[in-house]
Amino acid sequence: MTGPLAGLRIVELGGIGPAPFAGGLLGDLGADILRIDRIPKPGIGPDTAAQFDFYNRNKRSVALDLKQPAAISAVLAAVAKADALIEGFRPGVMERLGLGPEVCLAANPRFVFARMTGWGQEGSLAQEAGHDINYLALTGALHALGDADRPPPPPLNLIADLGGGALYLTVGILSAVLHARETGQGQTLDVAMIDGVTHLMSAFQAFRQQGVWTDKRTDNIVDGGAPFYRCYETADGKYVAVGAIEPHFYANLLACMELKAADLPRQNDRSAWPAMRERFAAVFKTRTRDEWVERAAGRDGCLAPALSMDEAPKHPHMRARGAYIRFDGVTHPAPAPRFGQTPATLRRSAPPAGRDSRQALADWGFAPETIAALESCGAMAQT
């Protein structure tokens, strides 16, 4: 095992979205992730090959039938040896399985029981179904995104699922594990995407209360309202992104565009922003994207090409940093962040359910006869 988290043991209950992303991130950093998957049924396979399930890289999969008491006992035996558990079910599911926080903490008082949901463990919506866009909607963030004359667009599932969910889950687990190691006291984490996104919206809530942020879309400094912070179409139908907020960067951007500040309204004159956006748009349509990039190179004008997902791995800067890695026959985003002494690595391909059942349990200290008994009664499967 390599990485700064080598030696950390995590049990992850198989799911989708932020929970497996957090498990994958911890796995990239060296944690030993034991993913508990359902036993595959004959003739019913996953929609995609396991190698494309990037969230499950650097994990091992044990296939268990959690309807069987022997499987529940196996999970609790793993809990007794682990630092933390990640689960992303609706509130109450783990309790009905017999794997609730009280049971797990009784098996291991130093244990961190991390629960990942969209709405949280409590509240009027706790039992409602939802996805990233629904959780984002409740925080005010979705309403603030997009063009003023169109409905708010779904911003991929980066903000609620991953930003407000998985990353807060990761920080929560590491914080609670540190506390447990200092005090011997475990605890339960209630990680809700609405809580994380609400926290991410801190600055904008402050701006709104200061009166410097309106409740309209495309009307503010970093929502596309400012002519110097938005995307523009270029002559070849591609786009550049400009973010020249500070006055000296704005001056550099104007120089790239061959515009003079004296001929324009003041940079922060909001009443002039609509007309300025139109003027900037006309200028950017006069050259191709790559011509603008070449023109702005080295001039600190805060201009970058809006690359497609296919283009991103080929960019010279991304290549220089090794931002993408060829692994298991596909191109993966490289582990992040980067550590000088304990580098994170890609060392295990994403497993099909049950690929590692026998060996992983053996490595976690399960006796050979226990593993054999689990398999013989159908509580565990090796695929």
Side-chain angles (χ1 to χ4, degrees):
M1 303 295 289
T2 63
L5 299 183
L8 185 73
R9 284 184 158 183
I10 307 287
V11 176
E12 177 191 316
L13 274 293
I16 61 173
F21 183 89
L25 174 55
L26 293 168
D28 285 356
L29 302 185
D32 187 358
I33 310 296
L34 189 71
R35 179 177 166 96
I36 308 300
D37 282 310
R38 295 177 180 176
I39 295 177
K41 295 182 179 180
I44 301 177
D47 294 334
T48 58
Q51 69 179 138
F52 295 105
D53 200 346
F54 288 1
Y55 289 6
N56 284 330
R57 69 191 193 187
N58 285 334
K59 300 177 185 179
R60 290 187 289 180
S61 172
V62 175
L64 295 175
D65 180 0
L66 295 182
K67 295 180 181 179
Q68 295 202 36
I72 298 300
S73 297
V75 174
L76 288 174
V79 163
K81 305 170 187 295
D83 294 285
L85 175 145
I86 298 172
E87 65 98 350
F89 302 133
R90 293 196 204 192
V93 171
M94 289 293 283
E95 284 82 352
R96 290 193 293 274
L97 287 172
L99 292 171
E102 292 184 0
V103 177
C104 289
L105 284 164
N108 182 353
R110 299 166 59 91
F111 192 63
V112 176
F113 192 103
R115 322 192 77 163
M116 179 76 255
T117 61
W119 307 116
Q121 296 297 311
E122 300 173 343
S124 60
L125 296 175
Q127 292 294 335
E128 293 289 330
H131 280 293
D132 184 284
I133 192 171
N134 307 121
Y135 311 134
L136 194 62
L138 213 67
T139 67
L142 184 64
H143 183 271
L145 298 172
D147 294 327
D149 59 347
R150 297 180 183 180
L156 305 183
N157 66 326
L158 295 173
I159 300 178
D161 268 10
L162 306 186
L167 298 186
Y168 280 82
L169 175 60
T170 303
V171 171
I173 289 172
L174 296 179
S175 301
V177 167
L178 283 175
H179 176 263
R181 290 183 174 181
E182 288 290 327
T183 66
Q185 181 181 9
Q187 59 183 302
T188 301
L189 303 182
D190 176 1
V191 186
M193 292 178 229
I194 58 166
D195 295 347
V197 176
T198 298
H199 188 251
L200 289 173
M201 289 290 288
S202 295
F204 304 103
Q205 285 286 358
F207 293 158
R208 185 78 180 113
Q209 293 171 67
Q210 284 178 275
V212 297
W213 188 276
T214 73
D215 206 23
K216 300 176 182 178
R217 290 190 291 282
T218 322
D219 194 47
N220 298 283
I221 191 167
V222 291
D223 69 350
F228 47 83
Y229 197 95
R230 61 183 288 120
C231 291
Y232 291 98
E233 187 176 1
T234 54
D236 53 352
K238 299 180 180 179
Y239 296 88
V240 292
V242 297
I245 296 176
E246 293 80 2
H248 51 294
F249 295 147
Y250 179 66
N252 296 339
L253 177 65
L254 293 184
C256 292
M257 300 173 67
E258 297 182 345
L259 295 175
K260 295 181 179 180
D263 298 334
L264 301 171
R266 290 180 296 108
Q267 178 185 358
N268 292 312
D269 179 359
R270 287 180 176 242
S271 66
W273 280 1
M276 288 278 285
R277 293 197 298 265
E278 292 184 8
R279 184 164 185 181
F280 277 31
V283 172
F284 279 112
K285 287 280 283 187
T286 62
R287 290 183 171 88
T288 68
R289 182 192 70 184
D290 292 345
E291 287 172 341
W292 281 114
V293 170
E294 182 178 0
R295 187 175 183 80
R299 300 178 72 170
D300 274 353
C302 299
L303 181 149
L307 300 179
S308 71
M309 286 191 287
D310 292 338
E311 291 176 307
K314 303 172 186 175
H315 189 275
H317 184 77
M318 305 295 263
R319 285 179 178 271
R321 286 191 57 80
Y324 295 86
I325 298 175
R326 192 72 180 171
F327 178 73
D328 191 30
V330 289
T331 300
H332 282 250
R338 304 182 183 201
F339 296 82
Q341 299 298 323
T342 55
T345 60
L346 298 187
R347 57 198 181 277
R348 290 195 180 106
S349 59
R355 181 191 68 185
D356 312 295
S357 295
R358 297 183 193 128
Q359 187 60 55
L361 291 183
D363 290 346
W364 274 53
F366 283 68
E369 57 271 21
T370 301
I371 297 171
L374 283 168
E375 193 166 6
S376 65
C377 75
M380 185 202 82
Q382 172 74 43
T383 61

